[in-house]
Amino acid sequence: MIKITTPSRLHITLIDMNGEIGRVDGGAGLTLSSPNVKITAAEADEIRIEGLQEFAGRMIKAAEVLLPEEKGVIIDVESLIPAHVGFGSGSQAALAVAAAVNELYGLEKSVRELAFVVKRGGTSGIGVTAFEKGGFIVDGGHRFKDKGAFMPSAASRVPPGPVLFREDFPDWDVVIAVPNDKGMHDQQEIDVFQKFCPLPIGEVREVAHMVLMKMMPAVIEEDIESFGAAVNHVQNVGFNKSESLIWPDFVKSIASFMRSRSYGAGVSSFGPVVYAFVDNREEGRQLQAEVQKMLDESVGGITMMTRAKNSGAEISNI
């Protein structure tokens, strides 16, 4: 029997949604210690999902494309990452099952091979690398001639982009707000990409400059002030700026408040998750309590305080 605990991820920014120089996508993101997908898996003659059922269909599909002929698997789902809020839940659920089948049946596939088979990482490779290695990640996107169009990961059929940079993230606290709402997904996501892309090349260059010359050095130098400033900057340019046009007002209010009380804050992926970086645990707890009050007085939801995870999914025999 195999036990797997995945991380989750924050997607901080896409880099190039213009494609002028022949590549698209690329992005920067961060692996989180929690929330998690936790499953146990055992060999069987059938495919069966026990426990939590929200991702049962996706998990069954992930198992089906990898299982040897006439083999099955029983997956017991202990915990899941909230869906369609910005944590990369779909990738982690699919990869957890794929990794379980890979281990149980000795398929010897790499994480990136598994991701391609279960159709994850077609726009952002952050979630795939988070599962594989953890840490702070920058990926290099895809050749536009291979991808053919601007589209989200769920609609893309290309492998995850190359990892350009992966570094252990400093031991800073991350305050998270998870409003009781869902972000754009499925056809809605596709429509947003088609509406806003290609973005102006000047904005792409601005995002790339900020990621390369401020965000990445700040991680290496453990400079939370510069890192937070870079996070704040990329919220207002490039694809994040386009996404901000469709954020609900409560997301904008929470993001603005968290930014005023931290080194930097942003909305992960299509949201509605909002995150902020702090280096004082007491101040982080106070911010968490104040944001929880904002949620309670609006749409509801939960807050949490977590940290980065500098390793990938935990896989063990039990």
Side-chain angles (χ1 to χ4, degrees):
M1 185 176 290
I2 301 292
K3 181 176 183 179
I4 296 180
T5 301
T6 80
S8 48
R9 64 96 174 107
L10 295 175
H11 197 277
I12 297 172
T13 186
L14 287 167
I15 295 174
D16 190 339
M17 302 311 294
N18 173 276
E20 182 177 293
I21 63 172
R23 295 192 76 85
V24 291
D25 307 326
L30 176 64
T31 311
L32 296 180
S33 295
S34 60
N36 316 98
V37 172
K38 294 182 181 179
I39 67 168
T40 55
E43 294 183 32
D45 296 327
E46 60 178 333
I47 302 174
R48 189 166 78 244
I49 308 297
E50 298 179 343
L52 301 175
Q53 296 292 310
E54 184 173 5
F55 286 97
R58 182 169 295 180
M59 289 179 163
I60 288 170
K61 288 180 180 178
E64 285 176 339
V65 296
L66 282 161
L67 280 165
E69 191 173 351
E70 298 184 359
K71 299 292 185 179
V73 64
I74 295 176
I75 304 289
D76 187 4
V77 185
E78 179 182 335
S79 69
L80 288 171
I81 298 167
H84 304 308
V85 299
F87 283 136
S89 57
S91 290
Q92 300 306 315
L95 287 170
V97 172
V101 172
N102 191 52
E103 291 290 324
L104 287 169
Y105 289 102
L107 304 183
E108 299 185 352
K109 292 184 180 295
S110 69
V111 171
R112 294 176 70 82
E113 288 173 328
L114 295 174
F116 180 65
V117 172
V118 300
K119 300 177 181 179
R120 305 308 302 177
T123 294
S124 167
I126 304 301
V128 174
T129 309
F131 185 94
E132 182 181 24
K133 299 178 180 178
F136 176 80
I137 303 149
V138 178
D139 79 85
H142 305 91
R143 289 179 295 188
F144 195 54
K145 66 179 182 180
D146 293 338
K147 190 167 181 181
F150 300 100
M151 63 183 72
S153 291
S156 303
R157 297 295 177 262
V158 290
V163 177
L164 305 181
F165 180 84
R166 184 268 165 211
E167 186 75 15
D168 281 359
F169 196 75
D171 197 22
W172 302 328
D173 287 311
V174 188
V175 179
I176 306 282
V178 190
N180 187 20
D181 195 21
K182 299 294 185 185
M184 294 281 183
H185 56 92
D186 300 330
Q187 187 60 46
Q188 293 173 315
E189 275 191 328
I190 295 171
D191 292 345
V192 169
F193 275 80
Q194 291 179 346
K195 178 179 180 179
F196 292 117
C197 299
L199 294 175
I201 190 65
E203 294 193 28
V204 170
R205 291 169 179 160
E206 187 176 348
V207 172
H209 191 190
M210 190 60 51
V211 170
L212 178 63
M213 292 304 293
K214 195 157 193 171
M215 198 175 290
M216 289 163 56
V219 172
I220 295 172
E221 296 175 349
E222 299 188 5
D223 179 355
I224 193 171
E225 186 173 346
S226 293
F227 185 82
V231 168
N232 287 339
H233 190 106
V234 299
Q235 301 305 304
N236 299 305
V237 65
F239 198 71
N240 281 352
K241 183 178 76 172
S242 299
E243 288 179 323
S244 71
L245 300 175
I246 56 177
W247 290 340
D249 287 341
F250 68 83
V251 170
K252 296 177 184 178
S253 296
I254 291 170
S256 178
F257 179 75
M258 292 178 74
R259 188 169 295 116
S260 72
R261 299 289 299 275
S262 69
Y263 286 98
V267 179
S268 180
S269 192
F270 277 93
V273 157
V274 186
Y275 58 89
F277 298 96
V278 297
D279 63 353
N280 181 295
R281 177 61 60 93
E282 184 177 340
E283 291 177 2
R285 291 294 184 200
Q286 181 63 32
L287 176 59
Q288 183 183 356
E290 292 171 344
V291 173
Q292 184 65 60
K293 184 178 179 182
M294 292 179 71
L295 288 174
D296 292 343
E297 293 174 350
S298 56
V299 297
I302 61 170
T303 59
M304 63 184 77
M305 192 154 68
T306 186
R307 290 187 176 182
K309 189 175 193 296
N310 289 319
S311 56
E314 299 164 16
I315 303 173
S316 59
N317 290 293
I318 58 173

